[in-house]
Amino acid sequence: MPRPERVREFIDVVVGGEHVRAIADFYQPDASMQENLLAPRRGRDTLIAHESAVLGRVAAVHTHVPDVVLIDGDHVVIHWIFDFTDHKGVTRRLDELALQRWQGDRIIEERFVYDTATAWQVVERPGE
C-alpha cells in the first residue's frame, strides 16, 4: 500500500514534466499500462520506451495538477489532464482517469480510461 506522501511525490514528478523519470522511479520492473480496453504494455523498459517515443513526437507537454486523487489501500485513482503541443503549435488535450494498483511503493498495474470521442480535442491553434 503506498503512503500518501509517495503518491504525492509521483504526482509532483509527472506535473514537473518528468514522465520518463516517473516510470523509472515509481513503477515495478514488471509493471503494465493499458489504454482503455486495449492490450496492456508490459515491463518497465517497454513503458519507458513507449513514453519516450510519445514525447519525441510532440514539442511540449503540459500536465495539469490533478483535481482528484483517491487512495484506497493498494488502489489509486488520479484525474489527469495533459495538453500536448505538436511541432506545428497545435495543442490537444487528453482528459483521463488513471486507475492504478500499487505494490508496496511502486505501481504494478495502470489503466488509463478516457472517452475516445472527445480525447485529443484541439484547445489551441497558433494565431488564435
Side-chain angles (χ1 to χ4, degrees), residues 59 84-92 122 124-127:
F84 291 81
T85 303
D86 67 20
H87 294 287
K88 295 180 180 178
V90 176
T91 301
R92 299 179 192 289
V122 173
E124 186 176 342
R125 291 185 193 277

Side-chain angles (χ1 to χ4, degrees), residues 19-61:
H19 299 250
V20 172
R21 181 180 147 221
I23 297 169
D25 291 354
F26 292 89
Y27 287 70
Q28 294 285 356
D30 56 342
S32 66
M33 281 184 185
Q34 181 179 5
E35 307 287 331
N36 286 322
L37 296 176
L38 296 177
R41 297 180 294 280
R42 298 189 183 280
R44 185 171 54 207
D45 292 342
T46 299
L47 305 181
I48 287 171
H50 181 270
E51 191 71 15
S52 295
V54 168
L55 295 173
R57 291 191 297 266
V58 298
V61 178

